[in-house]
Amino acid sequence: MAGQPGAQAPLKILLVRVSSLGDVLHNLPMVADIARHFPNATIDWVVEEGYTSLVRLNPRVNTIFPFALRRWRKSLGKKETRAEIAAFFRSLRQTHYDYVFDTQGLLKTGIIMGAARLAPGGQKVGLANGSEGSGYEGISRIFHTKSIPLDPRTHAVARGRLVAAAALGYTVDTPADFGLPEVPRSEPRPDWMGEAPYCVYFHGTARDAKKWAPENWIALGQALAPMPILLPWGSPKEKAEAEQLAAGLPNARLLPKLSMGDAILLARHAALVVGVDTGLTHIAAAFVRPTVEIYADSPLWKTEGNWSPKIINLGDKGAPPGVPEVLAAARRLLADYPPA
């Protein structure tokens, strides 16, 4: 096949991972792995339009195809929407790929994989099975030319890495590299961030069972005072929760509603991050910021940050950590990695 070792043409590879935020993030180390073994490869990506700002941070990703199903499904009857969908598939099919990887395993991602064009001898590679508790849809396999089986308890970051390694013939033997840039010291900060080193609470998540009790957040922030606690939010419900926390914390700052790009900036600059099992917490860990990840109703094995000593994972499904445990971890990170 064109692009294999010893051949002339570099590999052309398409990654299909459209959502959600944490899942897109956990797919990024595939890019570094492929680039390490095939430095001349061209790597493109199909992703939900709301997450393009995250994928764009990785300089090894060449073309990003924004997929807007969440928006399109609200107006499928409109001529403009149908035209936009047609343009998406037309753009996707302009390139012939050596490999197309679907690491999400859903019917919608399988359809995208099915629409992509292959070079002669090309392969469409995906998951033969889901992980425990995943939304995997077995029908997605009909679009594969090769399906890779994995242990159902494979870490979310390892899944995509292992699929690519099995298809491309290399071994996964390095820590996860998300390919995200370091924060330039000269990068200007928005007014809402302030100049002092801060702790950010990523307290919000869609599932209430994954949350940490408000009194815990308040007790932790009081113990960390006078360090500023920045409180982001993404919905009216989360804003009300953030206001409740701010009322109990003299050192807290309620933030305005942030774009995805600004939320990523917030994680990148944090001196300390404390968050529940949610995408923005995992983004902070991917940037290797000092991060305490709190697990309350999701399994630790699935998404724990295990690629740096700057990440401390506490709790597990049905066993959230207490304030003393989280505070000890936060103080340890601040002592080991003091803010610049």
Side-chain angles (χ1 to χ4, degrees), residues 25-26 155 157 176 178 272-273 275 281-295 300 303-314 329-330 332-333 336-337:
L25 174 79
H26 289 148
H155 190 284
V157 171
F178 292 81
L272 175 67
V273 174
T281 305
H282 299 312
I283 285 176
F287 274 110
V288 197
R289 305 308 301 157
T291 303
V292 182
E293 297 187 352
I294 296 172
Y295 289 82
L300 183 69
T303 58
E304 63 177 318
N306 57 9
W307 47 87
S308 169
K310 290 186 177 183
I311 308 163
I312 298 177
N313 309 278
L314 299 175
R332 184 161 73 250
L333 288 173
D336 292 345
Y337 311 102

Side-chain angles (χ1 to χ4, degrees), residues 20-71:
S20 59
L21 176 59
D23 294 332
V24 171
L25 174 79
H26 289 148
N27 210 55
L28 280 170
M30 280 183 72
V31 177
D33 290 349
I34 294 169
R36 186 178 304 112
H37 293 278
F38 299 92
N40 295 323
T42 298
I43 303 171
D44 298 342
W45 193 316
V46 180
V47 67
E48 181 68 36
E49 62 179 357
Y51 306 134
T52 56
S53 59
L54 173 60
V55 177
R56 194 171 288 118
L57 288 173
N58 190 313
R60 282 297 321 214
V61 178
N62 183 52
T63 298
I64 299 172
F65 298 99
F67 183 65
L69 182 61
R70 295 180 181 183
R71 177 168 54 83

Side-chain angles (χ1 to χ4, degrees), residues 185 187-198 228 253 340:
R185 291 184 180 274
E187 184 175 70
R189 296 186 175 206
D191 291 341
W192 51 260
M193 185 180 290
E195 294 297 328
Y198 61 85
R253 186 184 312 145

Side-chain angles (χ1 to χ4, degrees), residues 26-243:
H26 289 148
N27 210 55
L28 280 170
M30 280 183 72
V31 177
D33 290 349
I34 294 169
R36 186 178 304 112
H37 293 278
F38 299 92
N40 295 323
T42 298
I43 303 171
D44 298 342
W45 193 316
V46 180
V47 67
E48 181 68 36
E49 62 179 357
Y51 306 134
T52 56
S53 59
L54 173 60
V55 177
R56 194 171 288 118
L57 288 173
N58 190 313
R60 282 297 321 214
V61 178
N62 183 52
T63 298
I64 299 172
F65 298 99
F67 183 65
L69 182 61
R70 295 180 181 183
R71 177 168 54 83
W72 291 336
R73 61 170 42 133
K74 298 175 183 177
S75 57
L76 288 174
K78 292 185 177 180
K79 179 180 178 180
E80 297 85 353
T81 299
R82 295 196 300 272
E84 191 175 344
I85 294 171
F88 164 79
F89 283 105
R90 191 164 53 248
S91 177
L92 180 68
R93 289 173 58 80
Q94 287 180 354
T95 300
H96 290 74
Y97 291 100
D98 297 298
Y99 289 91
V100 180
F101 291 104
D102 171 14
T103 56
Q104 195 156 358
L106 301 177
L107 177 59
K108 66 180 179 181
T109 53
I111 290 171
I112 295 169
M113 169 184 269
R117 289 181 172 176
L118 290 180
Q123 293 189 35
K124 295 182 177 182
V125 185
L127 297 162
N129 59 284
S131 60
E132 288 185 12
S134 72
Y136 178 79
E137 296 172 349
I139 194 173
S140 62
R141 293 195 298 273
I142 68 173
F143 300 100
H144 300 175
T145 59
K146 186 174 186 178
S147 301
I148 308 297
L150 295 175
D151 187 299
R153 283 206 165 197
T154 303
H155 190 284
V157 171
R159 289 181 71 77
R161 299 182 73 193
L162 291 171
V163 166
L168 295 171
Y170 58 80
T171 301
V172 175
D173 55 6
T174 59
D177 176 2
F178 292 81
L180 299 175
E182 293 185 3
V183 182
R185 291 184 180 274
S186 59
E187 184 175 70
R189 296 186 175 206
D191 291 341
W192 51 260
M193 185 180 290
E195 294 297 328
Y198 61 85
C199 171
V200 60
Y201 279 2
F202 288 128
H203 59 92
T205 182
R207 198 165 84 236
D208 285 346
K210 292 171 66 175
K211 294 178 180 177
W212 207 39
E215 59 268 23
N216 291 343
W217 291 110
I218 291 171
L220 176 67
Q222 290 172 343
L224 291 174
M227 188 177 206
I229 306 294
L230 271 56
L231 298 171
W233 52 276
S235 68
K237 182 180 179 181
E238 288 182 8
K239 184 180 182 182
E241 293 168 348
E243 288 172 341

